[in-house]
Amino acid sequence: MKLTVDKAAVFLVCTASPALRERLRTILRDWARRECVELSLEQADALPERTQPVDLLFLDMDSVGVPERGAVGGGETGLIIISGDAGRVIRSYRWHPAAFLKPDLDARRVAEALNACADRWQQGRYYLESPFRRNSFHLPIGRIRYIEAYRHYCLLNQQSLSVRARFAMGELESVLPSPPFFRCHKSYLVHLDAVEKMSYTTLTLRDDGYCLPVGRTYQEALRRALYEWQGGDVG
C-alpha cells in the first residue's frame, strides 16, 4: 500500500491586487489540503512570457493588462477569468475560459470553478494504490469520506461507492495525511471535511446525515482537530 501522485498541479495567479492575491493563495492552499492535491502555486502581477504552460491560470482582468489579440494561456492551460466588469468578461470569451469568478470570491465559488475544469489538475491528486492483484485499485484519497474496519478488511467509503481493501486500520492511518484524515474511533477514520458536526459520542456527516461513533480515547484530540479545520466551529 502506498500513496502516489503523477506530478504537482501548477497554478498561476496573475493579479496586481495584493489583497486578491493573498485571498486566492489562502483559499487554494486550503483547497489543496482538503482535496489531497499536490499543488505548486505561482504568482505574478503581469502576464508572463512562458515556455512551459501551467495547468490553470487565474487571470484578474481588472488589474492586469491583456492583449487585444492573440491567445491567453494556450491550449494546454485552463483559464479562469476574474473580473467584476461585464464587458471584460464578455471580451474574454474569445479565449474560451473554463470558469469565471468575481473579485469578491470565496472558498465555495473557487471550488466550483475548480470542479468545472477538474481535468486540468487531476494529475496533482494523491492516489492510494493497492498491491493486491485480485483487489487492486487506484483511488483518489480526497474523495474518501470515512474508512471503516470490517472483519479482516477496511471499507473505503466515498459519496456513492465503497471499496473493500485488505488493509489494517493502523496501516492506513500511518499512510494517509493527517489532516485531513483523523481517527475518531478504533474502527473508523474520517476525512475532517466530511464532518457536519460533532456531539459527545457521534460525528454527523455532511450531505446525508450519516453518523459515525466517537471513541472516548479520541474525543479531545478530535475536537481540537475539527476546531482548527472548521475555523472554530464544530457544531
Side-chain angles (χ1 to χ4, degrees):
M1 173 180 55
K2 61 181 180 178
L3 290 185
T4 62
V5 62
D6 292 335
K7 63 175 183 176
V10 182
F11 291 4
L12 172 62
V13 174
C14 190
T15 177
S17 166
L20 180 59
R21 183 186 305 122
E22 180 62 23
R23 187 159 70 253
L24 255 180
R25 184 190 68 85
T26 300
I27 289 173
L28 289 172
R29 288 183 175 173
D30 287 346
W31 167 85
R33 186 173 65 151
R34 183 172 65 251
E35 295 291 331
C36 301
V37 170
E38 179 70 21
L39 178 63
S40 175
L41 184 58
E42 303 178 10
Q43 300 178 83
D45 57 10
L47 276 172
E49 295 290 334
R50 301 186 62 89
T51 56
Q52 294 295 324
V54 297
D55 297 305
L56 277 182
L57 169 62
F58 290 80
L59 176 59
D60 175 19
M61 289 187 68
D62 295 346
S63 69
V64 174
V66 295
E68 287 299 318
R69 298 184 180 183
V72 170
E76 297 181 32
T77 297
L79 176 62
I80 295 180
I81 294 294
I82 304 171
S83 180
D85 184 289
R88 292 192 181 105
V89 170
I90 292 171
R91 288 194 294 275
S92 75
Y93 272 82
R94 66 186 185 273
W95 299 316
H96 306 292
F100 298 91
L101 289 168
K102 292 185 178 181
D104 60 346
L105 51 85
D106 58 20
R108 179 183 61 80
R109 293 187 179 95
V110 172
E112 289 172 351
L114 289 166
N115 286 338
C117 50
D119 59 314
R120 300 290 184 170
W121 48 265
Q122 287 299 309
Q123 79 282 349
R125 281 193 185 275
Y126 276 98
Y127 287 83
L128 185 64
E129 300 277 4
S130 165
F132 305 114
R133 293 182 181 177
R134 294 183 182 178
N135 192 23
S136 62
F137 58 82
H138 184 67
L139 183 68
I141 65 172
R143 295 178 182 171
I144 299 173
R145 300 175 73 221
Y146 67 92
I147 299 168
E148 176 184 0
Y150 179 75
R151 296 179 181 177
H152 301 299
Y153 296 87
C154 281
L155 295 177
L156 311 178
N157 291 277
Q158 302 175 75
Q159 189 66 48
S160 57
L161 175 68
S162 292
V163 177
R164 190 176 71 167
R166 196 166 186 137
F167 297 146
M169 184 66 79
E171 288 181 275
L172 283 168
E173 187 178 16
S174 66
V175 169
L176 295 174
S178 179
F181 292 95
F182 210 87
R183 193 76 167 260
C184 64
H185 185 273
K186 66 179 181 179
S187 299
Y188 289 90
L189 273 167
V190 66
H191 190 305
L192 295 176
D193 204 57
V195 177
E196 177 71 30
K197 61 182 179 180
M198 176 182 177
S199 70
Y200 187 70
T201 58
T202 61
L203 293 175
T204 302
L205 303 188
R206 300 183 192 276
D207 300 325
D208 60 5
Y210 188 78
C211 291
L212 302 181
V214 175
R216 183 178 300 176
T217 305
Y218 307 98
Q219 285 172 354
E220 197 55 42
L222 177 61
R223 185 171 290 277
R224 286 198 301 270
L226 277 169
Y227 185 88
E228 294 175 1
W229 185 264
Q230 298 181 354
D233 182 13
V234 296

